Amino acid sequence: MATTTNKDYYAMLGVKKTATPEEIRKAFRKAARRYHPDVNPGDKKAEEKFKEISEANDILSDEKKRKIYDQVGFYSDQIDPATAEAYARQQREGSRPPVDFGGFDFNGFSGDPGAGPQGFGSFKDIFSGIFSGAQHPHAPRGPQPGTDLEYQATVDFWTAIRGGQARIQINRQEVCPTCHGQAHTGGAKTCTECHGTGQVTQMGGRMKFNITCPSCNGTGKTSNDCATCHGEGTVTRSETVEFRINPGTRDGQRIRLQGKGNAGMNGGPAGDLFLIVRTGTHPVFTRLGDDIQLTVPITVAEAALGAKVEVPTIDGRAHLKIPPGTQSGQKLRMRERGVESASHPGQRGDEIVTVEVAVPHLNDERSREIMRELARLNPDDPRKTLFDKL
Ligand SMILES: [Zn+2]
Ligand SMILES: [Zn+2]
């Protein structure tokens, strides 16, 4: 509920009192981007802040409302511009009433000996007591669009590569099946606040004001809230949503499902559901964009002499040529053996093989002798360059 007292809307938006409508619009956009609930899910402080700046923007971006706010120091729908003008003049001239209080009933005012011009508190004090928290709680609502939802959807490694159907369980607000979003059951009852008169009396300092009943907006009747949705018009339901995954879908990709967000109110359209795809992992393959990475062990002989070895790819087995003198940790690229690109149809990523030389365990004397012989024939020190750089 909006409170109408003592708020510095200019400070909330971080603009000067002389700010142009354009400056206000820009300041609000900037602040809204920072504090929007979608950007700060579950952050109560940000939500509170967002409400504040929205309220400030609501008043300051409306020329008429802003004028009343500037003149009186707060804003209420129940203050007409003429009253605000009169108050501002009174403040400027330092004079005291008579002030035209528009639709207010000064019932009981004249009879009070203590009242009179000097009996006025500040106009602001009087109004703040009356209006704080009483701003149209049951104002008629027009169609309101439903809010968007965002979920992370983990998709199996192979489904992300080859495409297919996936599903996710979400909680979304649906139109209440009992009242069909009307939020009430149709039958009206007498307003308990004003007992059907449509007006309530409030004390402001020594004055009594008759004001429009805030509970029923002056109609004298309130509707029966729907028992299923408690007057919300929507109910939260858990739902399994099925969606399509295109071949080559990458981790972090966003999928938009139109109309699968929260239901709108009073016939407003439903919001959208945004899914952030998280692709699953694989014990052998690692996906990096459209490329596939994996580590393949090779023998010392294959590394030294070169060889053609069989390696796994996402399409099955394939042959990889190991050049003679391949070092452990070296990366060999197999062109177009990666994932089919979702954004560039017909193109594929590569498979990048990191070779890892497996050193043999020599369990017999003959093998060890051959290895020593090999060392004698190749006396190069592999650490030499290391010391040269010192
Ligand atoms: Zn009422
Ligand atoms: Zn309902």
Side-chain angles (χ1 to χ4, degrees):
M1 181 60 55
T3 305
T4 53
T5 56
N6 298 328
K7 285 189 175 174
D8 189 342
Y9 292 136
Y10 292 102
M12 283 177 190
L13 291 180
V15 294
K16 287 186 190 151
K17 283 205 172 14
T18 53
T20 63
E22 179 63 16
E23 284 167 341
I24 287 166
R25 197 178 65 88
K26 275 188 181 161
F28 171 66
R29 285 193 161 198
K30 195 175 154 202
R33 265 199 296 274
R34 187 166 157 204
Y35 295 112
H36 197 281
D38 285 357
V39 186
N40 306 278
D43 185 340
K44 281 278 160 214
K45 262 193 185 159
E47 191 184 322
E48 215 34 62
K49 190 85 187 162
F50 184 72
K51 277 186 195 155
E52 277 189 356
I53 57 162
S54 300
E55 187 186 326
N57 180 60
D58 178 53
I59 305 301
L60 297 186
S61 65
D62 183 310
E63 201 189 327
K64 269 193 210 152
K65 290 182 182 178
R66 184 179 176 184
K67 192 170 182 198
I68 290 175
Y69 173 73
D70 285 344
Q71 287 171 327
V72 182
F74 69 103
Y75 178 79
S76 164
D77 287 345
Q78 301 206 19
I79 302 175
D80 66 274
T83 311
E85 188 74 53
Y87 174 70
R89 200 183 321 121
Q90 175 203 309
Q91 290 296 96
R92 268 200 310 277
E93 293 164 3
S95 69
R96 288 297 184 183
V99 169
D100 177 10
F101 278 90
F104 292 102
D105 178 359
F106 282 75
N107 201 356
F109 167 55
S110 57
D112 187 336
Q118 265 46 296
F120 272 85
S122 93
F123 186 84
K124 193 170 161 176
D125 292 341
I126 296 166
F127 273 74
S128 62
I130 293 172
F131 292 109
S132 58
Q135 210 184 26
H136 296 311
H138 287 269
R141 293 169 295 193
Q144 283 175 21
T147 49
D148 293 338
L149 287 172
E150 190 179 285
Y151 275 80
Q152 295 212 351
T154 301
V155 171
D156 167 62
F157 180 82
W158 291 114
T159 307
I161 288 174
R162 294 170 182 160
Q165 294 292 113
R167 49 180 54 195
I168 184 172
Q169 195 168 21
I170 61 160
N171 289 321
R172 63 188 289 265
Q173 287 168 3
E174 281 178 1
V175 173
C176 172
T178 307
C179 64
H180 305 289
Q182 295 302 302
H184 50 80
T185 51
K189 59 183 180 191
T190 304
C191 174
T192 51
E193 201 72 24
C194 62
H195 307 289
T197 62
Q199 292 216 314
V200 289
T201 306
Q202 290 224 21
M203 295 301 293
R206 291 188 177 88
M207 293 181 291
K208 253 192 207 164
F209 296 109
N210 285 338
I211 64 165
T212 304
C213 171
S215 286
C216 61
N217 256 341
T219 60
K221 287 189 166 64
T222 49
S223 47
N224 285 312
D225 282 351
C226 165
T228 307
C229 63
H230 308 289
E232 294 292 324
T234 57
V235 288
T236 301
R237 282 277 166 82
S238 178
E239 191 182 323
T240 302
V241 176
E242 208 160 300
F243 57 99
R244 230 203 106 58
I245 288 287
N246 290 328
T249 294
R250 290 187 183 196
D251 187 70
Q253 207 162 307
R254 261 160 81 98
I255 296 175
R256 178 182 178 215
L257 299 177
Q258 207 173 352
K260 286 288 183 184
N262 286 325
M265 298 281 279
N266 300 318
D272 297 334
L273 170 63
F274 288 94
L275 298 175
I276 314 291
V277 174
R278 293 285 165 233
T279 56
T281 56
H282 188 273
V284 171
F285 302 116
T286 303
R287 202 173 148 190
L288 203 80
D290 293 336
D291 290 340
I292 292 287
Q293 293 186 319
L294 80 156
T295 299
V296 172
I298 58 174
T299 67
V300 172
E302 285 166 343
L305 303 172
K308 215 173 196 185
V309 300
E310 244 186 0
V311 296
T313 73
I314 56 170
D315 304 314
R317 292 162 181 246
H319 285 101
L320 170 66
K321 201 178 157 230
I322 310 286
T326 295
Q327 299 292 332
S328 192
Q330 208 168 310
K331 285 179 165 55
L332 301 173
R333 188 175 287 265
M334 299 172 81
R335 302 237 171 250
E336 305 207 320
R337 291 288 191 169
V339 181
E340 201 175 303
S341 169
S343 47
H344 299 92
Q347 286 188 26
R348 288 187 69 162
D350 301 332
E351 175 162 301
I352 297 155
V353 174
T354 304
V355 293
E356 192 179 73
V357 175
V359 177
H361 296 278
L362 305 179
N363 296 318
D364 61 297
E365 189 48 38
R366 179 159 156 70
S367 296
R368 285 194 285 269
E369 186 47 46
I370 290 169
M371 195 57 90
R372 282 185 212 110
E373 177 73 21
L374 198 63
R376 276 193 294 276
L377 289 170
N378 300 272
D380 297 347
D381 179 2
R383 291 173 292 281
K384 187 172 177 294
T385 55
L386 217 57
F387 290 103
D388 288 348
K389 285 174 193 158
L390 292 177

